[in-house]
Amino acid sequence: MKQTVKLDLEPAIITIFGITGDLSQRYLLPALHQLFKEGLLDEKTRVVGVTRGDTTAEQLFEKADFEASPAMRERTSMFKMNLDDPAGYTALLQKLNAIEDEEGVCMNRIYYLSIPPQAYSPVIELMGEQGLNQSCQHGTAMTRLLVEKPFGYDLASAEALIAETGRFFGEDQIYRIDHYMAKETVQNILTFRFKNPIFEDLWNKDHITSIEISAKEKIGIEGRANFYESIGALRDFIQSHLVQILGIVTMDEPDSLDSDPIHRSKQTVLDQVEIVPADKVAERAVRGQYEGYRNEVANPDSNTETYASLTVYINNPRWQGVPITMTTGKGLDERKTEVKVSFTHEDDDDARNEVRFRIQPNEGIEVDLVTKKPGYNYETQATAMSYSYSDEFVSSSYNNAYERVIVDAVRGDHTLFASAEEVLASWRIVQPVLDAWRHEDLKTYKSGSRGPGEPNAT
Ligand code: BG6
């Protein structure tokens, strides 16, 4: 059973732009459902779904895979507006004010942008101009903006978007979501590293020979043709989720496991990732596209990758020379997100250990040890010491990442969100590859295969 927790969250109005979209249906609404079901949100909390159509809340719930609780039904309403029309924002502001008047309290205002990334800038500008960045009229409460990745399209557009958003919202009001950071198994990497002294002293180039961070998916693009065509695997997964995991795996120990020290430490190491020289991209990066993708997106010339693999190095004394490979792909033979940290003895290739963080599925951690096989002759084998979440906890006992995202935004905890500097650092890391790939052909691979492979980087 899930532990019963009491979070004492303040009342909030959670306004979701794009509530009828794919992300909201797949992740956000189920997460809100769970939070309502567990009674974790303050009882005055309201959800306002912004849509340009006529969808009603009841229709939303009919389409969902869950049975919405009476509380969720009662506290969710829809608001129809056109995102290009300033008058809609004024009317929305009036609605939020009216909700607070009705409830008789000031409420934290949370705006969740679950809309195409190209729409962020104009929507944020109109929100700011029409006063949606202000807080409660009668007292004090917080106003927060949640934005989904990708934040920007490349380094230049990310810089522009950060500047634009900063005109209307302070950095402490902006929550850039990376739902991988909110996965229990990713958070556990920090605990594993910094609360188990037997590993931390060996966590460097003197002992570690390579690190592989991979997120393989069996699914294709699942009807998200427009989104995916303009994004591709490098932006969709490596620039955000995998670079963030790289930061967690390689950063120096922060002064404490609080938000600011963690961000500082992560930022430092991300800034030390070597920017791939243009003439090395071909050997350090591989891209591919699954067969059939071009039909799916109805673009016979599509140059968008559904598979990307990139090897980087970190220019600091701790990690100099250790290849770190980030790989992701859709339409592959398995669904597996994992971090492999390999240790090899410098004089003995057979003396190897591997630590594997199984992010999903089969969540857990494995450590391969070399052991002697029983018998008269000396033979060895790799044996895994394994820790599985499923042996320790029933699956319902840990939170889905989007539940955590919503709870942290409501309680104002920035730890698991990406800072502006981290976002820029990760665009800097992928930018030379984006530039080179613009002029390069793709390899194709069969759906259900292992993909085109990883780089043989030097
Ligand atoms: C999203 C990507 O960020 O993560 C999707 O845009 C991907 O392409 C999804 O399918 C995977 O998330 P999860 O939590 O299901 O592994």
Coordinates of all heavy atoms in Angstrom, one line a residue, residues 26-27 149 179-180 183 217 219 224 227-228 236-237 241 330 335 360, ligand 1:
R26 N -2.6 11.9 -21.8 CA -1.7 10.7 -21.4 C -1.2 10.8 -20.0 O -1.0 9.8 -19.3 CB -0.5 10.7 -22.4 CG -0.6 9.7 -23.5 CD 0.5 9.8 -24.5 NE 1.7 9.1 -24.2 CZ 2.8 9.2 -24.8 NH1 2.9 10.0 -25.9 NH2 3.9 8.6 -24.5
Y27 N -0.8 12.0 -19.6 CA -0.1 12.1 -18.4 C -0.7 13.0 -17.3 O -0.8 12.7 -16.1 CB 1.3 12.7 -18.6 CG 2.2 11.9 -19.5 CD1 2.6 12.2 -20.8 CD2 2.8 10.7 -19.0 CE1 3.4 11.5 -21.5 CE2 3.6 9.9 -19.7 CZ 3.9 10.3 -21.0 OH 4.8 9.5 -21.8
K149 N 8.9 20.7 -21.9 CA 10.0 20.7 -22.9 C 9.5 20.4 -24.3 O 8.4 19.9 -24.4 CB 11.1 19.6 -22.5 CG 10.4 18.2 -22.3 CD 11.3 17.1 -22.6 CE 11.2 16.7 -24.1 NZ 10.1 15.8 -24.5
H179 N 10.1 15.6 -17.0 CA 9.4 14.6 -16.1 C 10.3 13.4 -15.7 O 10.0 12.7 -14.8 CB 8.0 14.2 -16.7 CG 8.1 13.2 -17.8 ND1 8.4 13.5 -19.1 CD2 8.0 11.8 -17.8 CE1 8.4 12.4 -19.8 NE2 8.1 11.4 -19.0
Y180 N 11.4 13.3 -16.5 CA 12.4 12.2 -16.1 C 13.0 12.5 -14.7 O 13.3 11.6 -14.0 CB 13.4 12.0 -17.2 CG 13.0 10.9 -18.1 CD1 11.8 11.0 -18.9 CD2 13.6 9.7 -18.2 CE1 11.3 10.0 -19.6 CE2 13.2 8.6 -18.9 CZ 12.0 8.8 -19.7 OH 11.6 7.8 -20.4
K183 N 11.1 11.1 -11.9 CA 10.9 9.7 -11.7 C 11.7 9.3 -10.5 O 12.8 9.7 -10.3 CB 11.4 8.9 -13.0 CG 10.5 9.1 -14.2 CD 11.0 8.3 -15.4 CE 10.3 8.6 -16.6 NZ 9.0 7.9 -16.8
E217 N 12.6 3.1 -26.8 CA 11.1 2.9 -26.8 C 10.7 2.0 -27.9 O 11.3 2.0 -29.0 CB 10.4 4.2 -26.9 CG 10.6 5.2 -25.8 CD 9.8 6.5 -26.0 OE1 10.1 7.2 -26.9 OE2 8.8 6.6 -25.2
I219 N 7.4 2.0 -28.8 CA 6.4 2.8 -29.5 C 7.0 3.7 -30.6 O 8.2 4.0 -30.5 CB 5.6 3.7 -28.5 CG1 6.5 4.6 -27.7 CG2 4.7 2.8 -27.6 CD1 5.8 5.7 -26.9
R224 N 1.6 11.7 -33.2 CA 2.1 13.1 -32.9 C 2.9 13.6 -34.1 O 4.0 14.1 -33.9 CB 2.9 13.1 -31.6 CG 2.1 12.8 -30.4 CD 2.9 13.1 -29.1 NE 4.1 12.4 -29.1 CZ 5.2 12.8 -28.3 NH1 5.1 13.9 -27.6 NH2 6.3 12.1 -28.3
F227 N 4.1 17.4 -34.1 CA 5.1 17.7 -33.0 C 6.4 17.1 -33.4 O 7.5 17.7 -33.4 CB 4.6 17.1 -31.7 CG 5.6 17.1 -30.6 CD1 5.9 18.3 -29.9 CD2 6.3 16.0 -30.3 CE1 6.8 18.3 -28.9 CE2 7.2 15.9 -29.3 CZ 7.5 17.1 -28.6
Y228 N 6.4 15.8 -33.7 CA 7.6 15.0 -33.8 C 8.4 15.5 -35.1 O 9.7 15.6 -35.0 CB 7.4 13.5 -33.8 CG 8.6 12.8 -33.4 CD1 8.8 12.6 -32.0 CD2 9.5 12.3 -34.2 CE1 9.9 12.0 -31.5 CE2 10.7 11.6 -33.8 CZ 10.9 11.5 -32.4 OH 12.0 10.9 -32.0
D236 N 14.0 15.8 -28.6 CA 12.9 15.3 -27.8 C 13.4 14.7 -26.5 O 12.8 14.8 -25.5 CB 12.1 14.3 -28.7 CG 10.8 13.8 -27.9 OD1 10.2 14.6 -27.3 OD2 10.5 12.6 -28.1
F237 N 14.5 14.0 -26.6 CA 15.0 13.2 -25.5 C 16.4 13.5 -25.0 O 16.6 13.6 -23.8 CB 14.9 11.7 -25.9 CG 14.1 10.8 -25.1 CD1 12.9 10.3 -25.6 CD2 14.4 10.6 -23.8 CE1 12.1 9.5 -24.8 CE2 13.6 9.8 -23.0 CZ 12.5 9.2 -23.5
H241 N 15.8 15.1 -21.2 CA 15.9 14.0 -20.3 C 17.3 13.4 -20.1 O 17.8 13.2 -19.0 CB 15.0 12.8 -20.7 CG 13.5 13.2 -20.9 ND1 12.9 14.2 -20.2 CD2 12.7 12.8 -21.9 CE1 11.6 14.3 -20.7 NE2 11.5 13.5 -21.7
K330 N 12.9 5.5 -31.0 CA 11.5 4.9 -31.1 C 11.5 3.8 -32.1 O 12.4 3.7 -33.0 CB 10.6 6.0 -31.5 CG 10.4 7.1 -30.4 CD 9.2 8.0 -30.7 CE 9.1 9.2 -29.7 NZ 8.6 8.8 -28.4
R335 N 11.6 -1.7 -24.7 CA 11.4 -0.5 -23.9 C 12.3 -0.6 -22.7 O 12.1 -1.4 -21.9 CB 9.9 -0.3 -23.5 CG 9.8 0.8 -22.5 CD 8.3 1.0 -22.1 NE 8.1 2.1 -21.2 CZ 7.8 1.9 -19.9 NH1 7.6 0.7 -19.4 NH2 7.7 2.9 -19.1
Q360 N 13.5 2.4 -16.0 CA 12.2 1.7 -16.3 C 12.4 0.8 -17.4 O 13.3 1.0 -18.3 CB 11.2 2.8 -16.6 CG 11.5 3.6 -17.9 CD 10.5 4.7 -18.1 OE1 10.1 5.4 -17.2 NE2 10.2 4.9 -19.4
Ligands
BG6_1 C1 8.4 12.6 -23.7 C2 8.7 12.5 -25.1 O1 9.1 13.7 -23.1 O2 8.7 11.4 -23.0 C3 8.0 11.3 -25.8 O3 8.3 13.7 -25.8 C4 8.3 10.1 -25.0 O4 8.4 11.2 -27.1 C5 8.0 10.3 -23.5 O5 7.5 9.0 -25.5 C6 8.5 9.1 -22.7 O6 8.2 9.2 -21.4 P1 7.9 8.0 -20.4 O7 7.8 8.6 -19.0 O8 6.7 7.3 -20.9 O9 9.2 7.2 -20.5

